[in-house]
């Protein structure tokens, strides 16, 4: 029998050569790992002559480990970024993984009664002994003074933990303690590698939870964007960590923000685990991000992962986004149209679709039509003719008036979407135009009309009208009919106790909300009026009750008329002097309501008068003192409205023009200064915005005000 050659003698030649080769390219790592494994096996199986002792075998293994570690030590002090060192680390990881794989195969062949090797059961194998020896050696340098050594050690341990199927319990405990210390290392690069290593230690045990808590703290507080990024990609996904991952969608680093959307797309199997609020915020942050790469990542998440979770069905996706209350659903839908033309081609808006509209369906068809508004042929295929659309508006509006409170929200949304579609129609068909005009007029005069619908109806009326004068004339006719109708209803002979309940119901449906006006102001005033009638029903006679009814009806009608006037004036660009009929509205409706005792009527009246002033400079000069008076002596909401009107007039006609033309023009500057010191935050904010615009347009050059304005930002 030939004498077996001693492999220990050649270790000092073979191992350095392998380390030298693996630095050239990663393509030869597999070949070198096989070669090194053979050398390791020879050392392990070698027996000296006539010596069968197991100690001799372990000594041979130790000789291999010593030579391997001696060569590995040479790369530990090398600075970060050196390609050769990175390749050596990858080779070490691939060699350990290959050795573990081979030992697992051997164990499976030896254990015929088991179908596979259990990773959780620790086995004393050649690869496990080598890995333990290597990790024990690396842990000696985990607290080295040289930052490069600490970085290389954490990097190697991260690779080794990922390759190992099992490890000694004592060594595992030591690893957990030492690696969590490195999470607080002063060097960001070391913390990154420590995160990679600790990510393998996450779990349900106490220490695993401790690691997750550390990761959460690093997500929120670590100053290094690279460290936060490492945590984003490696933290375990669960209900507890999800909220903190979502917060990183507002990270200052764009790469981290993009990483959040990539992780969510990969990790979340069904985005319904996110709350509606979280979905809304996530899409809003991603689709409006200033970085194009972040926006693309969000669109990719939405158009691939999320749409797949919804079975490639846009309606199902919209149901999960809650389009009725969403501010970003339209942008999300348009991004899907751009990214997934294959899904767009599957859309079908047939008669069955229009007859059974849902909130999601009406939203989908409206956004799709606006997306294709430049393609008239496409719109003709999708949209029904004017007469038919008017029929659908009337149908769903009737459903809304008869529905319960819960259903009214969705039906009101559907009617609102149909109004938006009506703006896209061509009204060349006279029959359809008359039908739509008749319907809109009827709806405006209805006591059940909603504030949001009034604005859409006025805009459609503007499109249908021949010119602005015709538009103004038709709107004035509607306002006149509304006022005449309430005057007829005010006759005592036609009022009953049932009218009191009908009026209360109508009051709850009319919700006026203009610009910065608080909804609570209107609801409080109306509820107080309603409460007065309710309380007085047991103590007042019939004539007083009827008088209270009349007062409430007058308030409702004036609110409705003023809101229509506001919408009409916002759509007008013609000077009031070319449209004299508007002066009649001012004298009959706007001015009397400014003098009203009801705060909400005064606010809305001031708003309408301000819009009139924007259309007529002499009128603005004449009434500027009124706005100043309201700003000085009005309640907070009226002050806000008056200051907004004053700022708009100054910007529209020029600061110097208004100051020189107004009787109290010299007081304007002092009033603006007072607003900058006002206790009301909204008054303060509006004053800052107004003065900023005057300064940027170079209309205002007062040094004191400019210095005071500058101090606001300090």
């Amino acid at each position: 029998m030939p004498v077996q050659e001693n492999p220990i003698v050649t270790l000092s030649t073979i191992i350095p050569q392998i380390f030298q080769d693996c630095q050239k390219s990663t393509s030869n790592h597999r070949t070198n790992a096989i070669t090194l494994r053979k050398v390791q096996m020879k050392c392990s199986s070698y027996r000296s002559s006539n010596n069968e002792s197991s100690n001799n075998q372990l000594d041979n293994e130790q000789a291999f480990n010593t030579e391997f570690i001696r060569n590995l030590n040479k790369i530990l002090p090398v600075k970060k970024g050196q390609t050769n060192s990175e390749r050596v680390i990858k080779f070490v990881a691939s060699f350990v993984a290959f050795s573990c794989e081979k030992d697992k195969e051997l164990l499976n062949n030896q254990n015929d009664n088991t179908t596979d090797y259990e990773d959780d059961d620790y086995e004393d194998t050649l690869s496990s002994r080598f890995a333990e020896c290597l990790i024990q050696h690396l842990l000696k340098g985990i607290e080295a003074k040289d930052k490069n050594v600490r970085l290389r050690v954490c990097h190697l341990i991260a690779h080794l933990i990922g390759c190992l199927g099992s490890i000694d319990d004592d060594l595992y405990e030591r690893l957990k303690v030492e690696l969590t210390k490195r999470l607080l290392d002063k060097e960001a690069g070391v913390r990154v590698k420590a995160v990679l290593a600790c990510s393998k230690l996450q779990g349900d045990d106490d220490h695993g939870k401790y690691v997750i808590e550390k990761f959460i703290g690093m997500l929120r507080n670590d100053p290094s964007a690279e460290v936060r990024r490492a945590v984003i990609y490696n933290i375990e996904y669960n209900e507890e960590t999800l909220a903190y991952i979502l917060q990183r969608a507002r990270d200052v680093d764009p790469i981290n923000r993009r990483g959040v959307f990539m992780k969510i797309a990969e990790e979340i199997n069904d985005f319904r685990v996110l709350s509606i609020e979280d979905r809304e915020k996530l899409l809003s942050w991603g689709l409006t991000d200033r970085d194009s790469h972040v926006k693309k990542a969000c669109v990719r998440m939405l158009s691939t992962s999320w749409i797949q979770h919804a079975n490639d069905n846009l309606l199902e996706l919209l149901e999960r986004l809650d389009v009725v209350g969403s501010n970003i659903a339209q942008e999300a839908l348009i991004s899907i149209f751009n990214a997934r033309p294959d899904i767009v081609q599957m859309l079908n808006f047939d008669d069955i679709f229009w007859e059974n509209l849902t909130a999601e369906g009406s939203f989908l068809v409206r956004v799709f039509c606006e997306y294709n508004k430049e393609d008239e042929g496409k719109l003709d295929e999708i949209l029904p003719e004017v007469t038919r659309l008017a029929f659908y508006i009337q149908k769903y509006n009737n459903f809304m008036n008869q529905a319960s409170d819960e259903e009214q929200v969705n039906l009101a949304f559907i009617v609102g979407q149909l109004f938006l579609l009506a703006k896209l129609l061509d009204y060349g068909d006279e029959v359809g135009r008359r039908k739509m005009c008749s319907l809109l007029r009827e709806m405006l005069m209805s006591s059940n009309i909603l504030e949001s619908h009034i604005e859409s109806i006025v805009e459609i009326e503007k499109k249908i009208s021949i010119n602005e004068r015709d538009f103004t004339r038709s709107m004035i006719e509607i306002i006149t009919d509304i006022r005449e109708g309430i005057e007829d209803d005010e006759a005592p002979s036609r009022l009953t106790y049932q009218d009191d309940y009908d009026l209360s119901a109508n009051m709850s449906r009319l919700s006026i909300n203009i610009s910065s006006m608080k909804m609570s102001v209107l609801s409080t005033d109306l509820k107080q009026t309603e409460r007065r009638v309710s309380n007085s029903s047991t103590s007042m006679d019939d004539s007083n009750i009827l008088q209270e009814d009349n007062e409430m009806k007058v308030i409702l009608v004036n609110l409705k008329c003023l809101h229509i006037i506001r919408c009409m004036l916002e759509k007008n660009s013609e000077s009031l002097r070319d449209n004299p009929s508007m002066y009649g509205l001012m004298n009959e409706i706007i001015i009397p309501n400014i003098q009203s005792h009801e705060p909400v009527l005064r606010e809305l009246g001031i708003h309408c008068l301000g819009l009139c002033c924007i259309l007529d400079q002499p009128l603005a000069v004449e009434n500027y003192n009124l706005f100043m008076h309201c700003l000085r002596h009005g309640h907070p909401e009226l002050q806000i409205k008056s200051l907004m009107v004053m700022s708009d007039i100054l910007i529209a006609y020029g600061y110097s023009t208004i100051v020189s033309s107004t009787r109290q023009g010299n007081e304007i500057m002092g009033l603006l200064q007072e607003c900058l010191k006002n206790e009301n935050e909204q008054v303060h904010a509006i004053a800052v915005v107004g003065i900023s615009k005057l300064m940027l347009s170079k209309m205002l050059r007062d040094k004191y005000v400019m210095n005071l304005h500058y101090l606001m930002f300090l």
Side-chain angles (χ1 to χ4, degrees), residues 102-296:
K102 289 299 181 181
D103 284 340
K104 188 183 295 186
E105 291 177 0
L106 290 175
L107 286 174
N108 288 336
N109 293 333
Q110 293 174 3
N111 300 325
D112 296 332
N113 297 329
T114 59
T115 57
D116 199 359
Y117 176 69
E118 296 295 335
D119 290 341
D120 294 336
D121 296 332
Y122 178 73
E123 294 286 350
D124 184 23
T125 62
L126 178 62
S127 60
S128 66
R129 293 193 298 271
F130 172 75
E132 181 176 350
C133 176
L134 191 57
I135 292 176
Q136 292 280 15
H137 172 73
L138 291 173
L139 286 175
K140 297 176 183 178
I142 200 167
E143 294 185 355
K145 292 183 178 180
D146 189 343
K147 63 180 181 181
N148 296 313
V149 174
R150 298 198 305 274
L151 185 144
R152 297 295 181 188
V153 166
C154 290
H155 194 182
L156 278 165
I157 291 176
H159 278 296
L160 293 175
I161 293 178
C163 297
L164 293 177
S166 60
I167 194 170
D168 182 69
D169 292 339
D170 294 336
L171 180 59
Y172 180 73
E173 292 298 326
R174 186 183 174 193
L175 270 175
K176 291 191 295 186
V177 173
E178 296 296 338
L179 288 176
T180 49
K181 290 181 182 179
R182 291 306 97 208
L183 293 176
L184 302 176
D185 197 282
K186 63 181 180 180
E187 295 296 330
V190 177
R191 297 200 301 274
V192 169
K193 301 305 180 183
V195 167
L196 297 178
C198 285
S199 65
K200 311 298 191 302
L201 306 179
Q202 298 176 92
D204 296 331
D205 60 339
D206 292 339
H207 191 85
K209 293 179 180 178
Y210 175 75
V211 171
I212 292 176
E213 290 177 2
K214 284 285 188 180
F215 280 179
I216 291 174
M218 297 174 75
L219 268 181
R220 303 180 67 182
N221 304 312
D222 198 289
S224 172
E226 187 180 4
V227 175
R228 297 195 302 274
R229 188 179 314 135
V231 178
I232 289 172
Y233 282 113
N234 291 280
I235 191 171
E236 186 177 283
Y237 162 73
N238 55 45
E239 293 182 2
E240 179 185 3
T241 60
L242 180 59
Y244 299 100
I245 295 173
L246 293 180
Q247 290 177 2
R248 291 302 96 203
R250 302 298 285 170
D251 197 285
V252 295
D253 185 74
I255 301 178
N256 288 355
R257 299 199 300 272
R258 182 180 63 179
V260 171
F261 295 101
M262 296 173 64
K263 181 178 179 66
I264 289 176
E266 295 173 359
E267 297 287 341
I268 296 182
N269 295 325
D270 191 339
F271 66 90
R272 281 178 291 185
V273 299
L274 299 173
S275 66
I276 293 292
E277 183 181 359
D278 287 339
R279 298 174 213 172
E280 181 82 1
K281 288 192 298 185
L282 191 63
L283 291 178
S284 179
W285 293 339
L287 296 177
T288 60
D289 198 282
R290 61 183 178 273
D291 189 278
S292 60
H293 294 92
V294 178
K295 187 173 182 178
K296 288 179 181 178

Side-chain angles (χ1 to χ4, degrees), residues 54 174 239 336 357 361 399-400 442 465 498 629 707 712:
S54 60
R174 186 183 174 193
E239 293 182 2
I336 294 177
L357 276 179
F399 287 165
M400 180 188 69
E442 178 185 342
S465 301
Q498 183 62 35
H629 176 81
N707 290 335
M712 296 296 169

Side-chain angles (χ1 to χ4, degrees), residues 676-677 684 688 703-714:
L676 289 176
K677 302 175 183 178
H684 194 166
V688 170
K703 292 184 179 180
Y704 175 77
V705 175
M706 294 175 69
N707 290 335
L708 184 62
H709 185 267
Y710 173 73
L711 291 174
M712 296 296 169
F713 297 95
L714 298 180

Side-chain angles (χ1 to χ4, degrees), residues 497 536 539-546:
Y497 286 103
S536 64
S539 60
M540 300 177 63
D541 56 24
D542 293 348
S543 60
N544 290 335
I545 294 176
L546 296 176

Side-chain angles (χ1 to χ4, degrees), residues 450-645:
L450 299 178
E451 172 260 338
S452 58
H453 293 171
I454 290 177
E455 189 168 353
S456 296
I457 290 174
V458 173
E459 191 170 347
I460 298 171
E461 284 279 3
K462 174 70 180 295
K463 180 172 183 177
I464 294 175
S465 301
I466 300 172
N467 50 40
E468 288 201 5
R469 186 165 298 184
D470 178 59
F471 166 64
T472 304
R473 178 190 56 77
S474 61
M475 296 308 300
I476 291 176
E477 288 179 359
I478 293 174
I479 294 171
T480 303
D481 290 344
I482 292 173
R483 290 172 61 82
E484 288 178 353
I486 195 63
E487 289 173 0
D488 293 339
D489 290 342
E490 286 175 2
S493 61
R494 299 180 59 185
L495 285 174
T496 64
Y497 286 103
Q498 183 62 35
D499 294 332
D500 179 36
Y501 297 103
D502 294 340
L503 183 59
S504 299
N506 292 336
M507 288 176 62
S508 64
R509 298 178 64 87
L510 182 61
S511 57
I512 304 297
N513 178 16
I514 58 172
S515 295
S516 64
M517 180 188 298
K518 297 291 187 180
M519 286 296 298
S520 59
V521 174
L522 174 60
S523 59
T524 301
D525 291 333
L526 294 183
K527 287 178 180 178
Q528 289 174 351
T529 307
E530 192 174 10
R531 197 179 298 116
R532 290 201 301 268
V533 174
S534 177
N535 294 336
S536 64
S537 61
T538 58
S539 60
M540 300 177 63
D541 56 24
D542 293 348
S543 60
N544 290 335
I545 294 176
L546 296 176
Q547 184 179 356
E548 291 289 336
D549 287 341
N550 293 338
E551 291 178 2
M552 285 192 293
K553 288 189 176 183
V554 169
I555 292 173
L556 288 174
V557 169
N558 284 331
L559 284 174
K560 183 175 180 179
C561 292
L562 284 173
H563 189 64
I564 294 174
I565 293 172
R566 181 190 74 84
C567 295
M568 178 180 64
L569 289 170
E570 288 178 347
K571 302 296 182 293
N572 256 328
S573 58
E574 189 177 25
S575 173
L576 291 189
R577 298 196 175 277
D578 298 329
N579 199 354
S581 56
M582 283 300 303
Y583 287 104
L585 286 180
M586 283 181 49
N587 296 327
E588 295 178 10
I589 303 178
I590 297 177
I591 299 300
N593 280 289
I594 292 176
Q595 300 169 349
S596 171
H597 295 292
E598 294 293 334
V600 69
L601 292 178
R602 294 202 300 272
E603 295 164 31
L604 193 47
I606 285 291
H607 189 122
C608 292
L609 181 60
L611 291 172
C612 291
C613 291
I614 296 297
L615 298 175
D616 187 65
Q617 182 174 344
L619 187 65
V621 173
E622 179 182 348
N623 289 281
Y624 205 83
N625 291 333
L626 171 63
F627 301 132
M628 294 174 64
H629 176 81
C630 292
L631 180 57
R632 284 195 181 100
H633 306 292
H635 56 278
E637 288 76 15
L638 188 60
Q639 287 180 332
I640 293 170
K641 189 62 61 180
S642 301
L643 182 57
M644 292 174 64
V645 172

